[in-house]
Amino acid sequence: MAIYYQEQEQLFTIHTEHTTYQMQVDRYGYLLHLYYGSSVEGSMNHLLTYEDRGFSGNPYEAEADRTYSLDVLPQEYPCQGTGDFRSPALVVKNADGTYSTNLKYLSHQIRDGKYGLPGLPAVYAGTEATGNGAQTLEIALKDEANGLVVTLLYGVLPELDIITRAVKLENRGNAGLELKKVQSACLDFLYGAYDWIQFYGRHAMERNFQRTAVQHGSQVIGSRRGTSSHQYNPFVILADREATEDFGSCYGMSFVYSGAFKAEVEKDQYDQIRLSMGLQDELFSWPLDPGAVFYGPEVILSFSSAGLGALSRNYHRVCRHHLCRGKYKTIPRPVLINNWEATYFDFNGEKLYQIAKQASELGVEMMVLDDGWFGKRDTDFSGLGDWQVNEAKLGGTLNSLVERINGLGMKFGIWVEPEMISEDSDLYRAHPDWAFAVPGRKPVRGRSQLVLDFSRKEVVDHIYEQISRVLDSARIEYLKWDMNRSITDVFSCAAAADGQGAVLYRYMLGVYDMLERLHQNYPELLIEGCSGGGGRFDAGMLYYTPQIWCSDNTDAIDRIRIQYGTSFGYPVSAVGSHVSAVPNHQNGRITPIGTRACVAMAGSFGYELDLSRITEKEKQEVKEQIQEFHRLWDVIHNGDYYRLTNPFDNQELAAWMFAKEDGAEALVQAVTLNAHGNSITHYIRLKGLDPKAVYREETTGRRYFGSGLMAGGIPVPQLGGEYQSWQLHLIREQEE
Ligand code: GLA
């Protein structure tokens, strides 16, 4: 049992392996948040204080009691209109034009298993050992004045220290309501000095780590782009100011949603903190007619008292085992070669075949045909929306090319960008109203393309049919789903004026609908998500695409920082990562092929270059890299991931490692970021080993004690220059 209800005190307690979460219905029916943190026993009600606070109003039912104010009390789902002046989780516009909402406890339900959300991605309990004991708590709150019933959903995966939250809103009144702001999760903290960690970035430089003190006022990140975005990731951490990788308290919030979002942290007048996450409200307005129901997407919460590393590993586990799905969820994925950086649009069937042939000789297992194979698509100015194979360019049918590639013993995969339309396309000529454009205005173009109105079912149906025809025409075992611009000019011909604020959310539901159809109808297909690299790298996409192209930046050194930031909320198996050519196409940097492979192996590994253009010696290295990746796959993807350095602080050396949970095997990887004359020696302390065990290092045969490597560390050998890589593969010796 994970969820407990104590009737007399109306106290809800959720216990996970190491954490406790507690709420209570108070004397006026408000659902107060009492506690979230390390496991505790009993009621935490003693934390609440009541004082007469100036300018913090009192609910009517408190009568003469001025010490009761929702402006000060910690709440589970604060809304606009109750005298709480902090940032609300819910804002509703009533039929009479007012903005008041007042939610009181109505009922609750505890049941086994984890809830799901219609049309939305969500954590599932699954059947693995780690999923046992999952439970759901639903707490319904009601506004008696307007009939709105808000059901707070809590999903508990006790063994993973994971609690999910989502919200269901139902209009049980007689008049229409308008949802103006819906956060899915909100956490109130009574006190404490916290840092907020978030992952900002830009195209080709995603998920930089930023840690700042929470100050008075609000700090807000989010996306107005219709996607979760390169600019801010929908994963945030609130960490005790003292917390480090290995020590201290920290809380995570990960949004299981891929569209526009908002995450806020606010420090109020009494130094209390409110952290919340949900839909971007500026572009949002959802009419909720009598009888209608609305679901807000899920947020994954986790708490660790053992630092940021342990918090990340909680997220790695839940994403890998309870969010990702499909055939390739936990088995090795084919090492692929993608032709994009090798050819861009300039290819034909023979050139692709030659790239595949060379790659297959070196051990690559799948050829991925990127952009340019369909419609009229020799540049990025045309063709999107016309998902018919350009047989003239390929020199035959797609099937004939795929058969040739299969003949090399390789699988075949293909690129699509389903949500987009070029003005120069047959689709646009036939259905100009399928592209987002605001009447009377010229739309903003992005990469010279427009966005299809995926809020309309007929649009999704048409694109799905075209793409499934391609998938049915040949043995296609992988699909790269790209999305190459931010969304603007949101207007749907299918929606009324008061429904336009709902279009962006409906768009996302359309994207999920098509992804779900692909998942159901092509169960063998491996789908890789992508949005100009990592512009939609979020927990929502992971439900459909167990790996996501992490960044269009393939430079190993920049990737170290990008993958470092990504590792806080997402598992290594989700990180699409390729060895590409040098000088690197994004930043011109030259790094050895061994370093490029070392960094790319800390992900879902592949290549993206013309392998016939590298030296014979490098070809030999590629062969060995692929064999090595197969040998190390288990510890990399199934092992626990540890960050050993922070490449945003340490400009000299980057290091990370993987260790099997039982301590049987570990892999340490390091890259020099800088070079100096007469360089100092860098030491790293290993983590996650069995302290009592003796380990043998694979290449040198040298033996080490686990405790010695963890407490004393190990010197990184002088590698002779910048951008050199080093690896240590440790196998636990059998006890005699
Ligand atoms: C995006 C992707 C790239 C490539 C191109 C093709 O930028 O991130 O990997 O697929 O589109 O146009």
Side-chain angles (χ1 to χ4, degrees), residues 203 206 230 338 340-341 344-345 369-372 374 377 380 384 415-417 447 449 480 482-484 529-535 549 551-554 578 608:
H203 175 236
E206 298 90 339
H230 302 84
N338 179 305
W340 180 243
E341 287 198 14
Y344 296 102
F345 290 107
L369 171 51
D370 211 278
D371 196 355
F374 53 91
R377 182 76 172 168
D380 56 17
L384 292 170
W415 177 98
V416 288
E417 196 181 355
R447 207 192 190 197
Q449 63 201 42
K480 177 171 168 186
D482 209 340
M483 196 290 184
N484 278 320
C530 178
S531 173
W549 183 226
S551 176
D552 272 349
N553 188 338
T554 56
H578 300 167
E608 188 160 337

Side-chain angles (χ1 to χ4, degrees), residues 52 91 95 134 137 196 198 251 371 397 480 497 624 633 659 682:
D52 182 354
V91 179
L137 167 63
W196 122 285
Q198 51 102 344
Y251 299 83
D371 196 355
T397 62
K480 177 171 168 186
E624 287 162 16
W633 175 82
H682 298 291

Side-chain angles (χ1 to χ4, degrees), residues 3 115 216 308 357 439 450 456 467 625 664 695 718 727:
I3 303 170
Y115 67 83
H216 286 104
L308 299 164
K357 184 161 179 291
L450 302 180
R456 290 167 68 176
I467 289 176
Q625 288 162 3
Y695 288 86
Q718 299 285 352
Q727 198 164 285

